[in-house]
Amino acid sequence: MSSDTTSIGFAQKVLRDYTQTMKPLAKACGCSSTAVDIILFLGNNPAYTLARDIVEIRGIRANLVSMNLETMEKEGYVTIQTSARPAAKGNSFNAKSAADS
């Protein structure tokens, strides 16, 4: 087995384990696993505040990011602001953790 194949297998295992670990947390919080991923991403990466950043770096589909951010804003977990930076692919809002407000 080549080192590239080994690396891909390892990355897939880490992602699978991460997903399984986050399920109980999402259930306890009463939110989706995607919402937990977004909140953790924002908390751990304060330099990345655009929905576009979440899509590109975390690899979550844009429609899921948008839908989850809107839900989390209604529940008070994040605040959404219009970005002054040019939008890419229609994602033009900032997401900032409510704890940072």
Side-chain angles (χ1 to χ4, degrees):
M1 191 181 299
S2 75
S3 112
D4 288 343
T5 306
T6 304
S7 296
I8 292 170
F10 178 74
Q12 289 173 336
K13 182 181 181 334
V14 168
L15 183 58
R16 185 177 54 247
D17 290 349
Y18 173 83
T19 301
Q20 289 301 317
T21 302
M22 291 298 112
K23 281 184 180 180
L25 177 60
K27 186 175 181 180
C29 294
C31 59
S32 71
S33 294
T34 303
V36 170
D37 283 345
I38 292 169
I39 288 291
L40 291 174
F41 176 84
L42 293 171
N44 290 322
N45 300 283
Y48 297 104
T49 60
L50 295 175
R52 168 178 62 220
D53 297 331
I54 299 167
V55 170
E56 292 175 359
I57 296 168
R58 189 62 186 94
I60 301 171
R61 290 192 333 240
N63 65 321
L64 292 175
V65 171
S66 178
M67 181 179 67
N68 278 280
L69 285 172
E70 288 172 6
T71 299
M72 289 188 291
E73 182 182 42
K74 289 176 188 170
E75 295 172 356
Y77 292 110
V78 297
T79 56
I80 297 175
Q81 302 168 346
T82 302
S83 173
R85 292 182 0 196
K89 303 175 192 167
N91 297 314
S92 60
F93 49 88
N94 286 336
K96 183 177 179 185
S97 171
D100 295 335
S101 297

